[in-house]
């Protein structure tokens, strides 16, 4: 039943922005409630004394039709027209019904509900328009309350029915206001949740390299700064590895940019597969360069991992014919480690790894060079 009602009050929301969808749903909900809330009164008028209440009964038929028309108009996409019809129809109905059966039934109390949800029915409500509509609601309530006392109307409701109607009107106003505000609160919570998810997605996109799916330079810098700050609080080893694809320009010239992109994607996948710890980061530094941040990894582990990366890329057996007969894609690897915090900037560790990488390329490529963070001397291993 609730699912059917939800589909009914969602009429016309498809294809609209989230904020407008909430307002269309609220408009439909008020229209459905207005039509449904009128039906019990109609049964009373029809069965108690139809001749006496003929006028208000027929007027309510028109008002019910207008409430249902609101849903059809929203379905056509004419939201402003539907909203205006809803407000005018509800305001007129409350006044007309009070005119027929007196203020003692409390029907005009529903003006308070309209006032409570008014601000949620407009996407952009100018303060002067808001004041004007609220003033109109207040004026209609005061007029209905004082102009139509029990003894001056055409079809007064006798006691105890008048008291029952008044109690029902009060309960209806409180329930309706609470339900609509609760539903809107849920919509706000959902919108905030969606916004949070979207923000996280955008943050992920801003820190992700679109070609390889690895972290980009921004993600690398953020991670390195974070690990450097952690090192200041909790002393532990921290290693950085820089990798560069050897003779990549020759490969790109021969196989084209599409071939070069596929090659980089293969290498990125290989690096990511080897680095398995959640705390480790693999990033595309730029062009054909990659960088790895390895918290908790010292010199021995970093050397081993650097060699493992070099060998894994070589075993991809991606040909690079312009380098020589039988040549394949390889990488040069620079490694550095630090085992305690220093007052330098985190970027200095990255620069040290880049210096090690430069030496690896100068020494003939396809090899791993390790430089301790505080030593200019190097040691290397690898093969051609």
């Amino acid at each position: 039943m609730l699912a059917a009602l939800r589909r009914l009050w969602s009429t016309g929301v498809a294809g609209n922005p989230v904020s407008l969808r909430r307002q269309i749903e609220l408009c439909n909900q008020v229209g459905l409630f207005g039509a449904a809330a009128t039906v019990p009164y109609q049964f009373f008028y029809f069965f108690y004394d139809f001749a006496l209440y003929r006028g208000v009964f027929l007027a309510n038929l028109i008002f019910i039709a207008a409430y249902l028309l609101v849903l059809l108009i929203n379905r056509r996409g004419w939201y402003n027209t539907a909203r205006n019809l809803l407000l005018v129809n509800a305001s007129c109905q409350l006044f007309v019904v009070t005119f027929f059966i007196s203020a003692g039934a409390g029907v005009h109390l529903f003006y308070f509900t309209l006032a409570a949800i008014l601000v949620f029915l407009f996407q952009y409500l100018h303060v002067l328009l808001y004041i004007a509509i609220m003033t109109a609601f207040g004026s209609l309530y005061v007029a209905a309350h004082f102009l139509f006392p029990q003894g001056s109307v055409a079809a007064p409701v006798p006691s105890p029915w008048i008291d029952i109607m008044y109690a029902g009107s009060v309960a209806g106003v409180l329930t309706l206001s609470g339900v609509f505000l609760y539903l809107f609160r849920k919509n706000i919570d959902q919108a905030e949740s969606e916004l949070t998810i979207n923000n996280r997605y955008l943050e992920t996109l801003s820190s992700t390299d679109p070609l390889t799916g690895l972290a980009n330079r921004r993600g690398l810098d953020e991670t390195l700064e974070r690990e450097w700050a952690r090192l200041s609080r909790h002393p532990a080893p921290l290693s950085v590895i820089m990798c560069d694809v050897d003779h990549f320009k020759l490969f790109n010239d021969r196989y084209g940019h599409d071939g070069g992109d596929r090659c980089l994607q293969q290498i990125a996948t290989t690096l990511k597969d080897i680095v398995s710890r959640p705390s480790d980061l693999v990033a595309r530094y730029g062009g054909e360069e990659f960088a790895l941040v390895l918290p908790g990894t010292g010199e021995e582990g970093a050397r081993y991992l650097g060699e493992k990366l070099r060998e894994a890329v070589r075993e991809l057996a991606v040909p690079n014919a312009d380098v020589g007969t039988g040549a394949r894609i390889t990488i040069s690897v620079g490694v550095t480690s630090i085992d305690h915090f220093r007052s330098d900037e985190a970027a200095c560790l990255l620069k040290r790894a880049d210096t090690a990488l430069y030496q690896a390329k100068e020494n003939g490529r396809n090899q791993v060079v390790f430089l301790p963070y505080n030593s200019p001397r190097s040691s290397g291993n690898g093969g051609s």
Side-chain angles (χ1 to χ4, degrees):
M1 179 64 177
L2 184 59
L5 284 174
R6 186 175 287 110
R7 287 194 297 271
L8 195 57
W9 74 51
S10 296
T11 298
V13 303
N16 288 297
V18 174
S19 59
L20 184 56
R21 290 205 302 267
R22 291 195 297 267
Q23 289 154 356
I24 294 173
E25 284 186 342
L26 180 60
C27 185
N28 288 335
Q29 289 164 358
V30 176
L32 286 171
F33 177 85
T38 305
V39 172
Y41 291 93
Q42 293 292 81
F43 279 111
F44 173 82
Y45 303 143
F46 186 83
F47 290 107
Y48 189 82
D49 191 342
F50 182 72
L52 178 62
Y53 297 112
R54 181 194 302 271
V56 65
F57 181 88
L58 295 177
N60 273 338
L61 289 179
I62 297 173
F63 292 129
I64 290 173
Y67 281 129
L68 298 178
L69 185 60
V70 166
L71 277 72
L72 295 177
I73 294 175
N74 270 331
R75 186 181 183 87
R76 296 292 300 271
W78 302 334
Y79 168 66
N80 290 335
T81 302
R83 179 200 62 211
N84 295 337
L85 173 62
L86 174 68
L87 292 176
V88 171
N89 187 64
S91 300
C92 291
Q93 182 192 22
L94 298 176
F95 196 83
V96 169
V97 171
T98 305
F99 166 80
F100 275 107
I101 66 174
S102 85
V107 173
H108 61 309
L109 294 175
F110 282 97
Y111 282 120
F112 291 116
T113 302
L114 286 179
I117 65 175
L118 172 65
V119 70
F120 301 128
L121 282 170
F122 288 79
Q123 189 170 15
Y124 303 105
L125 181 59
H126 192 278
V127 63
L128 295 179
L129 178 59
Y130 178 69
I131 293 173
I133 299 177
M134 291 292 285
T135 301
F137 283 161
S139 300
L140 287 170
Y141 171 81
V142 171
H145 186 77
F146 289 104
L147 290 178
F148 310 125
Q150 179 74 359
S152 65
V153 295
V157 178
S159 185
W161 296 107
I162 189 70
D163 299 320
I164 294 174
M165 282 189 177
Y166 190 87
S169 295
V170 171
V173 167
L174 295 176
T175 301
L176 183 60
S177 299
V179 167
F180 282 138
L181 293 176
Y182 171 74
L183 289 173
F184 202 78
R185 177 70 255 178
K186 285 191 65 176
N187 284 332
I188 291 175
D189 291 341
Q190 181 181 354
E192 288 179 348
S193 177
E194 291 175 354
L195 183 61
T196 300
I197 293 172
N198 289 337
N199 285 340
R200 288 175 180 169
Y201 177 67
L202 291 175
E203 288 177 4
T204 301
L205 284 182
S206 68
S207 301
T208 303
D209 174 58
L211 176 65
T212 62
L214 301 177
N216 60 14
R217 178 67 181 272
R218 176 181 175 180
L220 171 66
D221 291 341
E222 290 175 352
T223 299
L224 191 55
E225 288 289 344
R226 184 172 63 250
E227 294 303 330
W228 193 261
R230 183 180 299 172
L231 190 64
S232 68
R233 301 189 301 270
H234 306 288
L238 176 63
S239 296
V240 172
I241 296 177
M242 293 285 290
C243 309
D244 185 84
V245 183
D246 298 326
H247 303 294
F248 188 71
K249 185 179 184 305
L250 294 177
F251 184 91
N252 235 5
D253 290 343
R254 181 177 182 87
Y255 300 101
H257 290 294
D258 288 342
D261 287 347
R262 287 192 296 271
C263 176
L264 292 176
Q265 288 169 340
Q266 285 182 274
I267 294 174
T269 300
T270 300
L271 299 182
K272 193 171 182 180
D273 288 344
I274 291 175
V275 178
S276 56
R277 296 189 312 174
S279 59
D280 296 339
L281 178 80
V282 183
R284 186 183 179 193
Y285 189 72
E288 65 271 22
E289 284 188 289
F290 298 88
L292 293 84
V293 179
L294 310 170
T297 300
E299 175 183 345
E300 184 178 353
R303 282 175 176 270
Y304 170 76
L305 187 60
E307 182 58 36
K308 192 174 180 180
L309 295 172
R310 184 194 68 80
E311 186 61 29
V313 172
R314 186 175 182 278
E315 288 179 356
L316 287 175
V318 178
N320 195 0
D322 282 0
V323 176
T325 304
R328 61 181 68 175
I329 284 291
T330 59
I331 59 172
S332 298
V333 181
V335 183
T336 191
S337 296
I338 189 171
D339 57 8
H340 62 278
F341 176 73
R342 294 175 178 270
S343 59
D344 304 332
E345 294 181 352
C348 293
L349 192 63
L350 194 64
K351 290 178 181 177
R352 190 63 170 169
D354 192 55
T355 300
L357 171 63
Y358 178 78
Q359 288 195 16
K361 297 185 79 67
E362 285 290 303
N363 292 346
R365 297 183 173 89
N366 187 27
Q367 60 183 272
V368 178
V369 169
F370 176 84
L371 284 180
Y373 183 71
N374 58 348
S375 172
R377 291 182 297 175
S378 68
S379 59
N381 62 289
S384 57

